[in-house]
Amino acid sequence: MSDAFKGYKGRALETLKKFNVRVWSETHIQSRRGAFKGIILPRAENDDDRHLVLKLANGYNVGVAVDTIEQMHQVGYKEAHYKIPEKEFPFSPAKPNIKLFGTGGTIASRLDYRTGAVIPAFTPGELYGAVPELADICNLSTEKLFSVFSENMGSAEYITLAKAIGAEIEKGIDGIIIGHGTDTMHHTAGALAFMIQNSPVPIVMVGSQRSSDRPSSDAALNLIHAATAACRSDIAEVMVCMFGPTSDEYALLHRGTRVRKMHSSYRSTFRTVGDIPLAMVQRDKITPFRNDYHHRRKDRKVDIYPYFEERVTMVYYYPNMHPDIIDALVEKGYKGIVIAGTGLGHVNKPVYPAIERAVKAGVAIYMTVQTLWGYVHMFVYETGRDLIAKGVIPAENMLPEVAYVKLGWALGQTDDLEEVKKIMLTGVCGEITEREPYNGYLIFQGGIPEIEEFLKKVHK
Ligand code: ASP
């Protein structure tokens, strides 16, 4: 697309063309919501096709819905020449070599302060311009694999990513960073943890909850912590590195199969579920919380298992669910279903016959729990026993999303359901644990006397 319409597509692009207006045009817009005057800004690849973005004279940007525009005409033209300061990323033979793969998300974008346009920052030079501290940590090379918000990641992207990481590790890289949208980072982390095994080096996923134009952005610090972990950590696993507390004191490293996004906007959104995190990362220090991880060993050979069966799904059970949901999935050819059941792993009685039909039709059905913390225990109540008798397989304490990606991965390798069961119930990288420690459970419920007392001591 030419720069005249940079970032505009679909209806937004048609609207610009219809009124003979382009990016950097100073424009009068008459819309059903009122009149606006401003400069049409370029948009980022990830943006929607329903708005034009205008920079107003007061410096604010507004999005104008294209459907509301009645009239629009150019009154001037003011092209802003902006660029992220691009400096050559310095190379030092003494520093570890790190590869950063970009997939998109908030972390891949930054706002140009003069124009208010969101522009992707992804060459090493741009990253160095934006976060110069990275050069103190490592030699960084970058590659943009995708440019999507993370809800658009899927099995094809997982496979491309796993293969690209494998190739880079075989070339001898010292650590991998993956920039990723935070929304589904835990799905991708789970998938990569199964697809990439025996990694000799750390594989660190990182994102940001707030874009770098906001004073409270976590983008730069998360990148610095992720680079520190990729270079210096002894933990050679697929991990997520994000803000630990609500302040910027440290980041936490979470195991890829036990991590989950738990808050839609807090920076401290990622939490290890059912266990404690792997380590704490500060600018100059990594403090492991445990020792039961794959240690860094450069002489180890990585194994890549890039498989995924598309016809696998996850069903979040709710009371009053009707059996036709399950029947429809079988009819559509789904080969695997992960149920996030209530309590210890339950669904209502009307669904039983549909489950029985699905199992008879050769569909693999695994049970997980909506409570997230704790194990599936289907022998406690008669309902659970009935479900087991009908062929539902309890998935221990695998998180629902992790069981989903693992089932896709397992069915991508074989149709033999006994083999699939063996794969599902054999722990690969912490997705099934023998016990969940008490200090891996939720804490900090304000108002509770012992918590208030603790907070008084710590937060002065
Ligand atoms: N919607 C974005 C994504 O997950 C949010 C983010 O990057 O944090 O891609």
Side-chain angles (χ1 to χ4, degrees):
M1 190 185 310
S2 92
D3 269 7
F5 301 109
K6 194 167 169 37
Y8 285 90
K9 55 194 174 216
R11 275 143 60 197
L13 179 63
E14 282 163 26
T15 310
L16 287 180
K17 287 187 170 163
K18 178 172 153 200
F19 291 105
N20 206 14
V21 166
R22 51 173 295 192
V23 163
W24 307 125
S25 291
E26 202 177 348
T27 308
H28 273 158
I29 297 182
Q30 189 58 51
S31 86
R32 289 202 304 274
R33 299 259 170 85
F36 301 92
K37 184 181 170 197
I39 296 167
I40 306 271
L41 292 178
R43 303 205 70 197
E45 290 167 60
N46 288 329
D47 290 340
D48 68 51
D49 70 345
R50 296 184 309 277
H51 296 88
L52 307 182
V53 178
L54 269 193
K55 176 165 274 314
L56 306 178
N58 62 13
Y60 282 100
N61 296 345
V62 291
V64 184
V66 290
D67 290 347
T68 65
I69 295 176
E70 290 160 342
Q71 257 314 322
M72 168 159 110
H73 64 275
Q74 177 167 338
V75 290
Y77 184 82
K78 270 197 194 150
E79 180 161 350
H81 293 279
Y82 65 83
K83 191 153 169 44
I84 294 179
E86 187 156 357
K87 301 191 207 149
E88 200 174 329
F89 203 96
F91 178 83
S92 146
K95 296 215 168 82
N97 297 318
I98 299 298
K99 177 85 181 209
L100 175 106
F101 287 108
T103 68
T106 304
I107 190 144
S109 316
R110 72 167 253 192
L111 202 100
D112 182 86
Y113 292 101
R114 267 185 317 132
T115 62
V118 174
I119 43 183
F122 246 112
T123 66
E126 283 167 335
L127 270 184
Y128 181 41
V131 192
E133 293 93 330
L134 290 175
D136 300 333
I137 306 170
C138 57
N139 300 316
L140 189 75
S141 58
T142 63
E143 186 177 337
K144 187 167 91 176
L145 286 180
F146 324 110
S147 183
V148 295
F149 286 129
S150 67
E151 59 271 28
N152 299 305
M153 292 293 290
S155 58
E157 287 75 21
Y158 303 155
I159 288 171
T160 305
L161 199 46
K163 287 182 179 167
I165 290 169
E168 213 48 57
I169 290 175
E170 270 167 18
K171 280 192 249 155
I173 202 84
D174 297 306
I176 300 279
I177 305 175
I178 303 156
H180 197 286
T182 57
D183 296 354
T184 71
M185 191 166 352
H186 53 293
H187 292 77
T188 305
L192 293 182
F194 299 125
M195 291 184 180
I196 308 171
Q197 292 181 32
N198 274 322
S199 173
V201 298
I203 300 169
V204 185
M205 300 194 67
V206 68
S208 71
Q209 278 283 78
R210 315 231 174 115
S211 54
S212 46
D213 53 304
R214 296 175 65 177
S216 61
S217 173
D218 46 341
L221 200 57
N222 284 343
L223 262 175
I224 291 168
H225 285 141
T228 305
C231 287
R232 301 210 207 130
S233 166
D234 180 42
I235 311 173
E237 296 190 16
V238 175
M239 298 173 276
V240 164
C241 179
M242 292 283 292
F243 251 60
T246 45
S247 62
D248 56 9
E249 285 154 56
Y250 56 85
L252 288 172
L253 272 183
H254 305 275
R255 184 165 266 155
T257 53
R258 295 234 66 91
V259 66
R260 205 166 184 284
K261 183 172 182 178
M262 300 302 284
H263 198 282
S264 62
S265 57
Y266 280 6
R267 296 174 303 181
S268 53
T269 172
F270 282 91
R271 285 291 172 262
T272 291
V273 176
D275 215 329
I276 60 168
L278 289 165
M280 176 165 89
V281 186
Q282 288 157 298
R283 278 176 187 241
D284 50 354
K285 196 160 81 186
I286 297 175
T287 314
F289 295 146
R290 48 201 298 168
N291 198 27
D292 60 342
Y293 53 78
H294 279 87
H295 295 258
R296 187 193 279 270
R297 269 201 58 172
K298 270 306 273 289
D299 60 350
R300 197 167 47 220
K301 226 182 132 319
V302 67
D303 297 316
I304 305 294
Y305 303 102
Y307 313 112
F308 205 92
E309 166 57 54
E310 285 295 307
R311 302 237 145 228
V312 172
T313 186
M314 175 161 59
V315 172
Y316 194 93
Y317 172 74
Y318 47 89
N320 201 39
M321 179 180 276
H322 294 274
D324 54 359
I325 297 277
I326 305 288
D327 288 330
L329 291 170
V330 179
E331 212 172 279
K332 286 281 174 200
Y334 276 79
K335 293 182 171 178
I337 303 174
V338 169
I339 300 176
T342 52
L344 298 169
H346 306 134
V347 298
N348 63 5
K349 282 218 155 65
V351 171
Y352 288 13
I355 285 186
E356 208 166 6
R357 287 192 286 276
V359 171
K360 281 217 181 90
V363 179
I365 306 194
Y366 285 81
M367 181 64 77
T368 60
V369 290
Q370 300 176 3
T371 56
L372 303 180
W373 272 268
Y375 293 74
V376 179
H377 278 301
M378 296 176 70
F379 283 111
V380 178
Y381 296 98
E382 91 177 298
T383 45
R385 288 170 186 265
D386 284 350
L387 285 172
I388 288 195
K390 294 190 187 326
V392 173
I393 303 168
E396 307 281 352
N397 70 331
M398 260 187 269
L399 291 168
E401 298 88 350
V402 173
Y404 160 72
V405 288
K406 192 172 185 190
L407 189 54
W409 177 71
L411 280 164
Q413 298 171 60
T414 174
D415 283 333
D416 176 344
L417 294 189
E418 272 314 304
E419 196 51 37
V420 168
K421 184 171 173 185
K422 219 190 293 158
I423 297 172
M424 283 300 283
L425 299 185
T426 307
V428 173
C429 43
E431 75 279 20
I432 297 173
T433 57
E434 248 170 62
R435 51 180 281 277
E436 294 190 358
Y438 74 93
N439 59 353
Y441 186 51
L442 288 166
I443 54 162
F444 283 161
Q445 289 278 294
I448 300 171
E450 58 269 32
I451 298 298
E452 292 300 319
E453 199 165 310
F454 172 77
L455 288 175
K456 250 187 265 156
K457 270 191 241 148
V458 177
H459 287 280
K460 296 248 162 72

